[in-house]
């Protein structure tokens, strides 16, 4: 489960209706939402669902009452690259994202129209390089060399990240974990993003589970929407700048500009963010450790499947409905093929 589509689309609707980033993050999908219904039904029918975001795993358990043994956190699987490169060898801003993904298109539009002009006024020689697949057509409207914006399009290798100073991830809505942030960290590139971008990408602490920022506002996994609202509103964030691979609390264009310029100009803090990004990449998404967790969960689901299924009343009920739907759909296909064959032989 790369992300909860229902959560992403609910946030998208909130932004398109004029809501702020924080308002969009506190909008849970309604129980009547067809996307939510389909996703929950699919999870209930499965013996095990691999969930990318630990935050969404907590949401599925606490708010939607999915049994914990039916869920396994399976985020990214990666290995950090070489040791951090000195910041003096890096220059310019970059952003990356598949153009077909709506949050990425919205982010580039917001960046180019509401954020970049203000950055450029403070850093008149700065450039923004935009990478991503499928960037022909409408994406080319943002290619404005006179303003320091270059649409580069598809990148054959993410090693290009090693030449830049700051990755910008101006996401106003979305869900799941953000691959662009993990890739940036693995290549020694600090990230400037929003609470949406950073969501779920925090290590566990003595007070919070994995995926949550280390703040005193944490109460339980089910309260994560309010948690994010408070955390992103800069409450109890002492030390957070030193424990993440960049800056993540900007919830409006002005704050994003301030963070981006600060990161570009910083020296000692830049090295701290870079080093922390490498550490988070290794600790949160270590190949061997994460694959071992997934393998153990798969083995347990397989070995204990009969006992689990006998006590899985919701899942079995949904399988009954699903099988009946399949039965009638198969009859429709059979009838359709029968008429087609008769028509072909006439």
């Amino acid at each position: 489960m790369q992300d909860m589509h229902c959560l992403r689309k609910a946030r998208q609707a909130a932004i398109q209706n004029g809501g702020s980033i924080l308002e969009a993050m506190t909008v849970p999908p309604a129980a009547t939402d067809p996307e939510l219904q389909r996703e929950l039904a699919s999870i209930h029918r499965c013996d095990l669902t691999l969930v990318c975001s630990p935050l969404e795993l907590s949401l599925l358990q606490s708010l939607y009452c999915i049994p914990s043994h039916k869920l396994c956190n399976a985020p990214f699987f990666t290995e950090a690259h070489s040791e951090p490169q000195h910041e003096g060898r890096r220059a310019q801003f970059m952003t990356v994202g598949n153009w077909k993904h709506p949050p990425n298109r919205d982010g580039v539009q917001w960046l180019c129209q509401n954020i970049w002009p203000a950055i450029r006024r403070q850093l008149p020689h700065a450039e923004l390089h935009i990478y991503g697949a499928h960037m022909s057509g409408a994406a080319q409207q943002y290619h404005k060399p006179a303003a320091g914006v270059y649409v580069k399009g598809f990148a054959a290798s993410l090693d290009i990240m090693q030449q830049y100073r700051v990755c910008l991830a101006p996401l106003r809505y979305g869900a799941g974990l953000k691959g662009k942030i993990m890739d940036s960290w693995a290549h020694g590139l600090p990230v400037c993003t929003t609470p949406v971008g950073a969501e779920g990408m925090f290590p566990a602490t003595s007070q919070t589970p994995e995926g949550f920022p280390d703040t005193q506002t944490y109460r339980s996994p089910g309260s994560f929407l309010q948690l994010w609202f408070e955390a992103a509103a800069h409450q109890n964030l002492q030390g957070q700048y030193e424990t993440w691979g960049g800056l993540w609390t900007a919830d409006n264009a002005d704050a994003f500009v301030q963070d981006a310029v600060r990161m570009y100009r910083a020296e000692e803090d830049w090295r701290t963010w870079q080093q922390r990004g490498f550490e988070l990449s290794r600790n949160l998404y270590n190949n061997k450790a994460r694959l071992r967790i997934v393998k153990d969960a798969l083995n347990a689901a397989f070995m204990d499947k009969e006992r689990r299924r006998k006590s899985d009343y919701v899942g079995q009920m949904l399988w009954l409905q699903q099988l009946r739907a399949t039965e009638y759909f198969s009859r429709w296909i059979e009838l359709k093929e029968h008429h087609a064959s008769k028509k072909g032989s006439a």
Side-chain angles (χ1 to χ4, degrees):
M1 189 177 194
Q2 192 70 26
D3 68 2
M4 290 183 66
H5 291 195
C6 59
L7 187 62
R8 167 163 48 86
K9 291 184 177 181
R11 291 172 171 178
Q12 179 179 359
I15 289 293
Q16 291 175 342
N17 288 330
S20 68
I21 290 175
L22 297 184
E23 290 169 342
M25 294 189 74
T26 58
V27 177
T32 55
D33 186 335
E35 290 279 354
L36 174 63
Q37 293 170 357
R38 282 194 291 270
E39 286 183 287
L40 292 183
S42 297
I43 293 170
H44 274 294
R45 283 195 294 267
C46 293
D47 293 309
L48 183 68
T49 297
L50 306 182
V51 184
C52 189
S53 169
L55 204 82
E56 291 174 17
L57 186 144
S58 294
L59 176 65
L60 289 168
Q61 288 180 332
S62 59
L63 184 58
Y64 299 121
C65 302
I66 303 294
S68 59
H69 69 263
K70 302 191 76 171
L71 301 171
C72 176
N73 184 214
F76 302 118
F77 305 91
T78 187
E79 294 181 1
H81 288 210
S82 58
E83 287 301 309
Q85 186 182 35
H86 190 273
E87 75 277 8
R89 301 177 185 176
R90 294 171 175 257
Q92 310 308 349
F93 295 92
M94 67 90 69
T95 189
V96 61
N98 189 316
W99 192 250
K100 287 188 175 181
H101 193 48
N104 291 334
R105 293 199 302 270
D106 176 81
V108 168
Q109 180 180 358
W110 188 46
L111 173 61
C112 292
Q113 294 181 357
N114 302 91
I115 295 172
W116 182 251
I119 294 177
R120 182 80 166 178
R121 284 194 290 271
Q122 296 187 53
L123 301 170
H125 299 294
E127 295 180 2
L128 170 62
H129 297 179
I130 304 174
Y131 292 90
H134 311 292
M135 296 201 72
S136 59
Q140 296 302 313
Q141 66 181 297
Y142 300 110
H143 183 77
K144 298 179 179 179
V149 181
Y150 298 83
V151 175
K152 297 287 190 174
F154 178 75
S157 170
L158 290 176
D159 287 346
I160 57 156
M161 288 181 161
Q162 294 176 338
Q163 72 189 54
Y164 292 99
R165 189 166 180 81
V166 178
C167 175
L168 302 180
L171 296 166
R172 297 198 299 167
Y173 65 87
L177 301 182
K178 312 306 182 293
K180 58 175 65 66
I181 292 178
M182 185 276 293
D183 288 330
S184 295
W185 287 347
H187 288 82
L189 179 59
V191 179
C192 179
T193 189
T194 65
V196 174
E199 187 176 65
M201 303 186 77
F202 293 87
T205 71
S206 60
Q207 295 182 336
T208 61
E210 183 179 322
F212 292 80
D214 184 13
T215 74
Q216 299 300 315
T217 58
Y218 176 77
R219 291 178 291 278
S220 69
S223 65
F224 87 98
L225 293 173
Q226 184 62 26
L227 162 71
W228 271 101
F229 186 95
E230 294 170 353
H234 302 259
Q235 294 185 18
N236 302 313
L237 288 175
Q238 293 85 353
Q240 282 297 296
Y241 292 152
E242 287 71 40
T243 60
W244 206 72
L247 299 180
W248 62 273
T249 58
D251 59 358
N252 58 71
D254 290 341
F256 199 97
V257 170
Q258 181 179 347
D259 283 355
V261 172
R262 176 190 170 188
M263 289 187 66
Y264 198 83
R265 289 173 170 169
E267 296 183 7
E268 188 61 33
D269 284 344
W270 189 95
R271 288 190 288 270
T272 299
W273 292 320
Q274 185 192 55
Q275 181 60 45
R276 189 54 178 154
F278 270 96
E279 292 171 0
L280 288 168
S281 178
R282 286 193 296 265
N283 296 338
L284 291 179
Y285 312 120
N286 178 273
N287 273 339
K288 292 182 179 179
R290 288 297 182 176
L291 287 172
R292 189 180 308 115
I293 293 172
V294 172
K295 182 179 179 181
D296 290 345
L298 288 169
N299 286 337
F302 179 76
M303 297 300 294
D304 201 27
K305 65 179 179 180
E306 296 304 327
R307 185 192 65 81
R308 290 183 181 183
R309 288 176 180 179
K310 287 179 180 179
S311 61
D312 185 8
Y313 300 104
V314 175
Q316 295 306 309
M317 175 185 66
L318 289 170
W319 262 116
L320 174 67
Q321 298 299 321
Q322 176 71 5
L323 289 172
R324 296 294 288 175
T326 304
E327 174 188 342
Y328 291 124
F329 186 61
S330 65
R331 291 183 181 180
W332 178 83
I333 294 176
E334 182 181 6
L335 186 61
K336 175 185 174 184
E337 294 298 324
H338 176 70
H339 283 291
S341 63
K342 285 183 64 177
K343 184 177 179 181
S345 60

